Amino acid sequence: MNINYESYKIFYTVALYGSISKAASSLYISQPAITKSIQKLEQELGITLFNRSPKGVSLTEDR
């Protein structure tokens, strides 16, 4: 697995704020770039990291 620490920073910020748009604003990165990074990380890990809803995102249950 190729570890990209920037992806983990993005993951942490999205989890902290519970919002992709707030994380994007905080990191000065576009929303599509945040979404793409999370999707790539989920694909690399083979799991879904966030439950998405119109109100924001929340972490999935621990497995």
Side-chain angles (χ1 to χ4, degrees):
M1 177 188 328
N2 184 15
I3 297 175
N4 180 346
Y5 293 106
E6 188 65 24
S7 294
Y8 288 103
K9 178 180 175 183
I10 291 170
F11 163 76
Y12 171 79
T13 306
V14 171
L16 180 68
Y17 287 104
S19 166
I20 290 173
S21 60
K22 288 180 183 176
S25 178
S26 171
L27 295 169
Y28 302 102
I29 301 173
S30 71
Q31 274 184 269
I34 295 281
T35 300
K36 188 173 182 177
S37 176
I38 294 296
Q39 288 172 340
K40 184 177 177 190
L41 185 58
E42 288 177 329
Q43 185 178 19
E44 287 176 1
L45 297 173
I47 60 171
T48 300
L49 297 170
F50 293 103
N51 295 313
R52 292 152 174 88
S53 76
K55 294 184 178 185
V57 297
S58 62
L59 290 169
T60 56
E61 293 293 317
D62 192 17
R63 296 181 195 183

